[in-house]
Amino acid sequence: MSREYNVIPGYANKQTNISSTMIKDFNKTAIITATQEISYSELLARIDHYASFTPKGTDTKTLIFSENRAGWIYAFFSVWKNGGIPVPVDASNSAHDVAYIINDCSPSCIWVSRDREAVAREAIKETGAQTSVLVIDDYEDAPLQTPLASDNNDVETLSDTTVGWGRKHSETAVIIYTSGTTGSPKGVMLSFANLWANIKSVAFEVPVFNDHRRTLILLPLHHILPLMGCMIAPIIMGGGVAISPSMSGPDIMNILCRGRISIFVGVPRLWQTLYSGIMKQVNAHAISRALFSLCAKVNSTAFSRIIFHSLHKKMGGNLEYCVCGGAALDKEIGSGLQTLGLCLLEGYGMSETAPIIAFTRPGDYIPGCAGLPLPSVHCKLISLDGSDETPEEGELCVKGPNVMQGYYNRPEETAAVIDKDGYLHTGDIARFDKDGRVTLTGRCKEIIVLSNGKNVQPSEIEYKLEKFEDQVKEAAVAQDGDMLRAIIVPQPLWAAERSDTELEIALKREVLEPYNLNAPGYKKLMSVMVYRGDLPRTKLDKLQRYKLKDILAGRREDHAAEVQTTPEPTSSEYRILKNYIQQEKKIPVHGTDHIETDLAMDSLDKVGLQGFIENTFGIEIDVDSMATFHNIAAMAEHIASNKTRMEVGDIDWNKILHQQNQSKEQQARTRLPHTSFLYPVWAKLMKLVIVCHNRLTVKGRHNIPASGPYILAPNHQSFIDAPIALAGLSYSQVRKTYFYATEEHINTPLRRLLARRNNIIIMERRNLKNSILKMSRVLQQGCNLCIFPEGSRTHTGEVGEFKKTFAILSRELNVPIVPVRITGAFEAMPRTSKFPNTHPVQVEYLEPIMPTEADTYESLSEQTKANIAAGIDV
């Protein structure tokens, strides 16, 4: 039995007959880039130019494999003009990933950027396909042979049966590759009718897009959300687009202003970062906090825009709609953005619906609600247990002109999600309110969708965890709030005579930390739960994932029972410690909590806690010892027995990094290593050796600041990365550059002696704060610092997770970061090799990143990593 909902009676069948030219002025700007403004006339001429090289013919497929740029848009529309089907591909894909798509859809051609050309050619070589390659850079700014378009060009003619260039609604418009429940990518075939259903809803039935609202292109265009919402709809409707050069805060703010952006489309993580940056400034002053509270009570967007006029002016002053898609936005952030006067529209959909199923209407935003379905879409809920009862909550199924044609060459998988009545089974659990708004309450699919819009295939992570055979018998990954938690059944012999708490600590160090080292940020595991017994499986040995929530709930119940039966400590030391951790982690803290397994404190959290304990209680607890305390109550007891004072005060990184050492003992602790005259000589000799042996090339020297201080942040590929990172520096710059190394790498008396005389700061695991203070002194004295943010060499050649130490130093000391991209060193000297081979090596110094008030440690770290990773092919 199902519960059906027709959103607005009679509206679903309403016909909006559009047969007109949206563009009234072909001299109007269609595209704004970092360096150009391109009119609609030039856009159409560029499309014609690209079309003269793009393969022609119905159903001819062309891959588009590039970062966002004007040429991406020309290439896409040129395929439409020639009757073909564009297939957008993630610009960060590996050659193997691209080869999979080539094998699956057999494209005739690939439009590719110069930066991704080598990957494309390697993919073609892997498949043996006869696929031609067209490099976008060679055509993007070429002199035009085609006359500029006139206002009778048929590209902008829209109707309920045809779109531009006479393409019929029944034709396939695009194939979007997305991961299905099995984890293997599937090609979602979307027709022009699917796209038109979305455009008609957001431009005519609900007039969000029009000819005077320009849209920001920030998200990668291979996703259906930005493809439709940031490119196709705004260009067809005549509003035009502006392409952000990067995801950095300064670039986004600049393009918002210069492009006079009206519509800004982002994912939850982006809005979270923006909101956190704004609220940091709001909370810094009592007056702004009071004004924010007033706006929340008044609950008027117009009033808020007046109060926060300066904020809106900084964002260009034209921003009308902030669109959030990809995943549900946190209710607090949604409400907060509304309070700041930003009109938020939250959408829900999937690639299979091109992409919108439901979205909030202007003036009808309810935090946590996905809004009303498209007027042309019919929705129903079906019982999760297969019963005949009409559910108040169940799996959402949708039917309408937005539902895909099917998965390319996969009729069985298409039939598995689209039933005989034409309903698409979304795999999402939802409910309707009395007006028909959709609220999502969970997922019945296996894939986990995080708040940043990323899809996580848990079986992929489980496979990697189970490779730790000495410790792990079996593993499951489940979503716990906005965090991925590993549920691990330990090997019986390894787990013998250990408590659950001891096992969790050991698993985190021996399993989770090695896994996290090279895992993308959104796949990182920060929490582990020990499970005694066998994980729930079917007779065919398939994991019954829906039961994992009960296991996690049982763990929470056990912990809650422990909390309830254990008296809360009453000491002042415990209260002060608890309040500090609660403020830092923004989660409830109990005396029975462990700092790692329950509170998920990472190394930087521990450094902050270490500094707080020292400043407040006058004692030092080294970072390694923190995890040995059974819980917070035990740590508080240790503090009470050993404290020398009790003075409660706030602690922050700015204060730590700017503190002046008073005593001789403190000065000795943070004394910098000497600079031997042999140090720069050694660096230049090593460069000469690598140049001769590995044909080292150096690019981007002009990006190295003429004077310090600055932070070099290279990716870490090999044992020879240190001299490679110095290769572009002058003799005097080398003398002023210090390195940061772990104790594990400086583990002999000779190495420690060389470190003390060759600008190497050793990371003291037992007192990370002293190490950070030393680095702070380096920068404050006008010298430079080279930190490998990954902390250790890559295992795969990919750029691993970046630690935030360098970002903290940059942000709090206002020092620029110079990202350093090292390529070829992994092949020249992988971890298993003791001596480098002759593989060519290159080092490139990228454009410096100067921290701004809006930047966070996370945003600086992510931007640096993204800039480096963008040019590394694995």
Side-chain angles (χ1 to χ4, degrees), residues 225 266-269 324-330 346-349 440 449-455:
L225 170 63
V267 293
R269 183 58 58 85
C324 181
L329 184 66
D330 184 89
E346 192 167 356
Y348 157 65
L440 301 174
V449 180
L450 300 176
S451 66
N452 59 4
K454 295 288 189 179
N455 290 349

Side-chain angles (χ1 to χ4, degrees), residues 225-280:
L225 170 63
L227 178 66
M228 277 294 294
C230 302
M231 190 193 86
I232 295 176
I235 285 181
I236 284 181
M237 292 309 301
V241 300
I243 305 173
S244 178
S246 76
M247 296 284 284
S248 73
D251 278 344
I252 294 173
M253 297 304 288
N254 178 61
I255 200 70
L256 283 173
C257 296
R258 191 167 66 86
R260 301 176 298 282
I261 298 299
S262 298
I263 302 174
F264 185 174
V265 181
V267 293
R269 183 58 58 85
L270 178 65
W271 296 118
Q272 178 182 343
T273 301
L274 175 67
Y275 180 69
S276 298
I278 294 172
M279 291 309 295
K280 184 177 181 180

Side-chain angles (χ1 to χ4, degrees), residues 4-31:
E4 303 187 10
Y5 209 101
N6 204 331
V7 183
I8 302 175
Y11 202 19
N13 298 317
K14 179 180 177 181
Q15 295 296 316
T16 305
N17 185 29
I18 307 298
S19 183
S20 62
T21 300
M22 295 297 104
I23 308 304
K24 308 302 180 184
D25 180 6
F26 277 74
N27 292 319
K28 183 179 180 181
T29 300
I31 303 172

